[in-house]
Amino acid sequence: MIAAEDKVAVSWELTVTHDGEFMGKKPTGKKVKTIAMNFYYINKEGKIYKEQAGIGLIGVLKDLDIIGSNIQ
């Protein structure tokens, strides 16, 4: 986690098990790990007024064989 002025960035690791249909792919039982990043914008009262999130979805799609491993 890094904070500067009115912004906070948080990086975290997400681990899930593919136990339900996902993007048309039947459950495989595979465990998938990825990195997520959230950015929070804080107002003068110290409250979050905006959030942006990014998840390493390409890696998840590759791990589940939804897209080819040759995609970067």
Side-chain angles (χ1 to χ4, degrees):
M1 180 185 316
I2 298 174
E5 298 176 19
D6 65 339
K7 298 169 209 62
V8 177
V10 179
S11 176
W12 50 284
E13 186 176 86
L14 172 70
T15 303
V16 297
T17 302
H18 183 216
D19 61 3
E21 188 172 313
F22 178 66
M23 299 184 88
K25 179 85 169 180
K26 299 283 186 208
T28 62
K30 285 184 178 179
K31 286 199 181 291
V32 179
K33 192 181 290 188
T34 192
I35 300 294
M37 188 83 185
N38 290 64
F39 299 91
Y40 301 97
Y41 299 84
I42 314 297
N43 65 20
K44 291 179 183 177
E45 290 79 35
K47 297 186 186 263
I48 297 170
Y49 69 89
K50 180 179 173 184
E51 175 193 15
Q52 292 178 307
I55 297 176
L57 189 56
I58 294 294
V60 171
L61 297 177
K62 286 180 182 180
D63 289 348
L64 296 177
D65 297 321
I66 294 172
I67 61 173
S69 60
N70 60 339
I71 295 177
Q72 297 181 17

